[in-house]
Amino acid sequence: MPGHRTDPSDSGQQLLLTLGRLVDQALERIKLQQARAELAMALQRHMLPPGLPQLPGVHIAARYAPSRDGLDVGGDWYDAFLMMDGSLGLTIGDVQGHDVEAIAFMGQVRTSLRAIAEATSDPREVLSRTNDLLISMGFGLFATCCFLRFDPVSRDLTVSRAGHVPMVWATAGGRSGIALDRGGPPLGVLAGERYPVTHRRLTEAGVLVLLTDGVVEGPTYPMEAGLAEVARLVRAGFDADPDVLASAVIKVAEQTGHRDDAAVLVVRYDGPPEPG
């Protein structure tokens, strides 16, 4: 009895159909991943302030770079706003994690901090009350943060830190440095924490740079080296346009090989008005 012979064209068609199904499945997975990434990025953008205030003699710029892991989003944020007493509130922070939960918690932190700052102009109170509120919500996450209050009339600057990276500064007179102010633990860790404050008075033109650790620290790149590089850039460009300086500082993250997201907030002060 003669054996059954398979038409080679049938095998070829089956192979093409199988390959077609695999390609369709791969395209669907790519589309789904793109949709998830776009949704996460849209959520991240809406969690950051749509604009930054500008005051006479004070210029502000910010930059954000997403994480290279997960959904390419994270919990870093920045904010700047006018307070009820006419002073300027400035904050930057970093929430634990790199996912949608971290973004949601970041939104709670930023919103809570800004609302509390409307009720009190004392950075110590702002961080302490925000800390207690976050603990009472029971998220189980924590956030580092730096909060500044600047009075453009008295030129007084008050700083309070919650486990966050120090800011970098430079002045028109040639002075510069890394502000190693005392600080407390991250927000959301210890209830009843009273955060220390540092008081300064800005007597000349200069620039302040607030940032997150994703800018200055990488897998094999120590934070000290990253801060030193930012300090070099700030010394060289203290009188540059804040947008230009912010773009230069955020690029330090490329040198560190960062996997974390990164944020930068630059504040340039033109100095006290000339006596009239």
Side-chain angles (χ1 to χ4, degrees):
M1 181 177 178
H4 177 70
R5 300 180 62 184
T6 303
D7 188 340
S9 64
D10 291 340
S11 299
Q13 289 176 357
Q14 288 298 323
L15 177 60
L16 290 175
L17 288 172
T18 301
L19 289 174
R21 284 194 295 269
L22 291 173
V23 170
D24 287 342
Q25 292 171 6
L27 289 174
E28 287 300 319
R29 286 194 295 269
I30 292 172
K31 289 178 181 178
L32 178 60
Q33 184 65 23
Q34 287 177 337
R36 291 178 62 198
E38 289 172 3
L39 177 61
M41 286 300 294
L43 180 60
Q44 175 79 60
R45 285 194 300 270
H46 284 296
M47 289 294 184
L48 296 174
L52 298 170
Q54 301 295 336
L55 297 174
V58 180
H59 313 275
I60 308 171
R63 291 292 184 276
Y64 174 81
S67 166
R68 299 180 185 180
D69 291 324
L71 289 175
D72 284 338
V73 292
D76 286 16
W77 88 92
Y78 58 83
D79 203 358
F81 50 88
L82 295 178
M83 303 171 73
M84 292 185 66
D85 63 357
S87 60
L88 179 65
L90 301 157
T91 183
I92 195 164
D94 182 0
V95 165
Q96 169 194 13
H98 307 96
D99 51 24
V100 174
E101 185 180 7
I103 299 174
F105 184 59
M106 178 265 282
Q108 291 284 353
V109 177
R110 190 174 78 84
T111 302
S112 299
L113 191 149
R114 186 163 183 167
I116 291 170
E118 290 293 330
T120 175
S121 59
D122 181 0
R124 182 202 308 272
E125 286 297 317
V126 171
L127 290 191
S128 295
R129 294 185 189 181
T130 302
N131 174 63
D132 289 343
L133 178 60
L134 295 174
I135 290 175
S136 71
M137 291 178 178
F139 276 93
L141 298 175
F142 64 83
T144 67
C145 177
C146 181
F147 182 77
L148 280 68
R149 173 186 175 270
F150 176 59
D151 186 331
V153 177
S154 66
R155 307 194 298 279
D156 289 330
L157 178 72
T158 309
V159 184
S160 191
R161 287 198 301 146
H164 198 71
V165 181
M167 66 179 178
V168 180
W169 58 275
T171 71
R175 298 183 300 120
S176 63
I178 299 168
L180 300 176
D181 303 322
R182 291 189 307 121
L187 303 176
V189 175
L190 296 174
E193 184 68 26
R194 299 292 294 171
Y195 291 87
V197 295
T198 301
H199 298 277
R200 294 183 175 86
R201 192 163 188 266
L202 304 188
T203 58
E204 58 183 321
V207 64
L208 304 173
V209 176
L210 288 72
L211 42 80
T212 59
D213 60 4
V215 178
V216 292
E217 187 175 42
T220 59
Y221 200 97
M223 182 180 294
E224 292 78 9
L227 283 170
E229 176 61 15
V230 171
R232 184 190 69 79
L233 290 172
V234 173
R235 281 195 301 272
F238 78 92
D239 58 348
D241 183 284
D243 277 305
V244 174
L245 184 55
S247 294
V249 172
I250 200 72
K251 288 182 179 178
V252 173
E254 298 175 6
Q255 299 175 214
T256 67
H258 81 109
R259 307 301 301 180
D260 200 357
D261 52 332
V264 172
L265 186 64
V266 174
V267 185
R268 195 187 76 199
Y269 173 56
D270 290 342
E274 296 291 335

